[in-house]
Amino acid sequence: MPELPEVQAHAERLTKSYAGSRLARFQPLTFTALKTAVPPPDQALGHPLEHVGRRGKYLLLEFAPLTFVVHLMQGGRLKEDEKQSAKPRGGQARWRFDDGRALLLTEAGTERKAGVWCMEPAVLLTSPPLDSLGPEAMDVTAEQLAAVFAEHPMRLHGFLRDQHCIAGLGRRLANEVCHRAKLSPFASTGKLGADGAERVVAAIHDAVEEGLIYERTRAGMSSSADRPGGVHKRTGEACPVCGDTIREVEYSSYTVHYCPTCQTAGKVLADNTTSRFLK
Ligand SMILES: [Zn+2]
């Protein structure tokens, strides 16, 4: 799944290519693609795309009368639609501009979870789906994070993935942040305190920055195998910090990757989530 760095760099690319182009037509290509009934998307017709922004993992296509909120979910992509065929493969929605170009939202697979919400700018951040997001991962301060930790006592890895706690991170960055912070993915957020919050904020900012630097060198969104990192999906490889072997553990239907020496004082985490080893 694209996470904050991938979505942010993509928003920047789209702004560069499409800002100023006027919307000629918006076309949902499936019955489920458009998640809102009002305002009607046609309110944006004739208006230029002002900017493509981001909140959490959502892309924001900003026109003066309304903003299209786009969530790519697992296999979604928003790209130049070169063919503009009547029934594009995996097509979910299309924005056609008066300069002849078009943007196409596609989703691989059959899950059909990617979607588009039309929102009036004044209520954008106070209505679903954006109203329930936690603070932005790039901007959150240690004080804010400590407060959210106290509000949501849970395992750190689950916390980092939960968009209501903090917005923009997914499985990959949750693994990388725990590793950089030298904390167990199963550490309890309720016990991390101010020091823990500071370590986690520094780790979030470093991991996101690393991803952004890489992603901004690319012409299009990376695939997950290309993204930089130390532990995510590197089971069996050597930890870049200490040389120990990266391990994996199953946790609430996810595979979590970690370095025992860096993160758990050498302890190997057990799959059973009720295990006494999960500290
Ligand atoms: Zn290590």
Side-chain angles (χ1 to χ4, degrees), residues 223-243:
S223 59
S224 58
D226 297 333
R227 293 169 196 160
V231 289
H232 182 65
K233 292 195 174 167
R234 294 181 195 268
T235 305
E237 294 181 30
C239 169
V241 175
C242 73

Side-chain angles (χ1 to χ4, degrees), residues 22-72:
R22 285 176 191 277
L23 189 65
R25 189 178 180 200
F26 171 75
Q27 196 183 6
L29 298 168
T30 67
F31 290 113
T32 55
L34 184 61
K35 311 291 187 189
T36 45
V38 283
D42 284 2
Q43 276 185 12
L45 297 186
H47 290 269
L49 176 66
E50 296 185 339
H51 178 253
V52 180
R54 177 193 60 77
R55 173 76 172 105
K57 297 188 232 173
Y58 294 86
L59 284 164
L60 311 176
L61 275 57
E62 299 164 10
F63 296 84
L66 59 82
T67 295
F68 293 90
V69 177
V70 180
H71 200 304
L72 302 174

Side-chain angles (χ1 to χ4, degrees), residues 29 37-39 50 52 64 112 124 128 175-176 188 218 242 268 274:
L29 298 168
V38 283
E50 296 185 339
V52 180
R112 297 285 170 264
L124 178 66
N175 284 327
E176 298 299 337
S188 170
R218 298 181 52 97
C242 73
V268 171
T274 59

